[in-house]
Amino acid sequence: MLRLATALTLISTAASAQVATLSGTDGQNALGTVPCAALSGEPMSSCPAELRKKEDGTATLAVQLNTGEVRRIYFTNGVPDSSSSTSKLTYETPGDLMVIFIEPGEVYEIPKAALNN
């Protein structure tokens, strides 16, 4: 149920996306929250996020961390391939969820449906 709610928070209409914006984003795309942790050992929390998709199959997920930093994760055809961090990025896809890890301890959970729509 929580995953479905998260997917729905990321799949919003353009009209509602223009109401608010996340620092460092354009405010024109899907706004919502994603579960994230910024530091190793930190519990997951709900982080404001904006998903920007392009017609060429690329997308950018901007996430406001509780440290005040905005982390950008870049996707090509639904697969995370880099981020605004210079640290190593890996991911797993258990079920309908994508879990992204950025060393040393950042973790993000994104519904695959949000990337495929």
Side-chain angles (χ1 to χ4, degrees):
M1 180 76 97
L2 179 59
R3 289 181 186 157
L4 177 59
T6 302
L8 294 175
T9 62
L10 280 175
I11 304 170
S12 66
T13 65
S16 65
Q18 293 177 10
V19 173
T21 187
L22 177 66
S23 174
T25 66
D26 66 10
Q28 301 299 310
N29 298 283
L31 288 171
T33 61
V34 296
C36 80
L39 304 169
S40 184
E42 176 181 325
M44 297 292 276
S45 62
S46 186
C47 298
E50 180 180 53
L51 182 61
R52 287 182 258 163
K53 295 182 186 180
K54 295 184 180 176
E55 290 183 19
D56 65 0
T58 63
T60 301
L61 178 69
V63 181
Q64 178 82 49
L65 301 172
N66 63 5
T67 60
E69 182 179 4
V70 175
R71 173 68 64 229
R72 287 171 186 77
I73 301 170
Y74 306 104
F75 297 83
T76 302
N77 297 319
V79 176
D81 50 22
S82 63
S83 77
S84 57
S85 172
T86 57
S87 298
K88 182 179 178 182
L89 179 146
T90 58
Y91 70 97
E92 298 174 354
T93 54
D96 61 350
L97 189 66
M98 180 176 292
V99 183
I100 300 169
F101 305 95
I102 299 176
E103 292 182 0
E106 294 178 33
V107 182
Y108 305 88
E109 294 182 354
I110 294 111
K112 286 192 261 183
L115 295 167
N116 296 328
N117 293 332

